[in-house]
Amino acid sequence: MSQKILQIQTSTNGENSFSNQLSNAVIEKLKAANPSSTVQTLDLSKTPLPYLTGSHISAVYAPAETHSEEQKSALKYSDEAIESLLQADVIVIGVPLYNFGIPAVLKGWIDQVARAGKTFSYADGSPKGLVNDKKVYLSIASGAIFSEGPYKSYDFSESYLRTVFAFLGMTDVTTFRVEGTAIPDFAENALPKALSSVEEFAF
């Protein structure tokens, strides 16, 4: 079965990035399971989306026929990001843990795709996600170990992403982690262990 895969990269470390290497492994397994799949890669470290502005916010809540050129321009990035998200069957996101949370460029992308009337709605009086039937894979990389132990409560990346994606309608989320990359006793085996978890996963 052919699938459209949206790969989102957010690390500034390029090919040396642990989160990129892990997400690439996920992509390869997905393509092996579905050889006719296509991949659209969005590297936010190279082409970040603009952060929200007053023009964007005013345009969201104003009728389209009243939009100024400035408002139309402000919504262009949001429209394109939402279209890519809606067209995808699978979303694979590389997430380096920066200061206990997600990179600013990933938050910028989320702010552009989380849009009332497009990806969520309050039409029935309660929130309803409009982005349905998607599979999400998170590839989280961290220098310390956050999946367990004393630093587990310091990780605000996975919990935040699962919350916002569920709000938008995406509840089928799987997380892979490469962690301990800055700890001498764990660093050497950190990536091989993470890649092994991908290899053993039933896609």
Side-chain angles (χ1 to χ4, degrees), residues 52-194:
L52 298 188
T53 64
S55 296
H56 175 103
I57 299 300
S58 64
V60 167
Y61 294 102
E65 61 271 17
T66 69
H67 287 174
S68 66
E69 289 304 315
E70 184 179 9
Q71 288 175 318
K72 291 177 183 178
S73 178
L75 284 184
K76 174 178 178 290
Y77 297 97
S78 175
D79 289 339
E80 292 175 351
I82 289 172
E83 182 63 19
S84 293
L85 176 63
L86 294 178
Q87 288 295 320
D89 302 300
V90 182
I91 299 95
V92 181
I93 307 178
V95 189
L97 194 67
Y98 290 166
N99 299 315
F100 311 121
I102 65 173
V105 291
L106 181 54
K107 179 58 164 62
W109 176 82
I110 289 171
D111 287 344
Q112 291 287 358
V113 300
R115 187 166 145 196
K118 295 288 187 178
T119 54
F120 70 93
S121 172
Y122 282 102
D124 298 326
S126 58
K128 177 183 179 181
L130 303 179
V131 187
N132 307 123
D133 303 319
K134 311 291 184 188
K135 174 64 185 178
V136 179
Y137 293 98
L138 304 177
S139 300
I140 301 177
S142 59
I145 294 175
F146 291 92
S147 63
E148 60 184 7
Y151 292 112
K152 186 174 182 178
S153 64
Y154 287 50
D155 175 16
F156 297 97
S157 64
E158 182 177 2
S159 60
Y160 170 73
L161 290 171
R162 283 182 176 272
T163 298
V164 73
F165 285 136
F167 181 80
L168 299 181
M170 294 170 280
T171 57
D172 190 357
V173 179
T174 296
T175 299
F176 297 103
R177 285 180 179 267
V178 51
E179 52 185 351
T181 59
I183 302 175
D185 291 341
F186 292 90
E188 184 176 352
N189 194 48
L191 184 59
K193 181 180 178 181

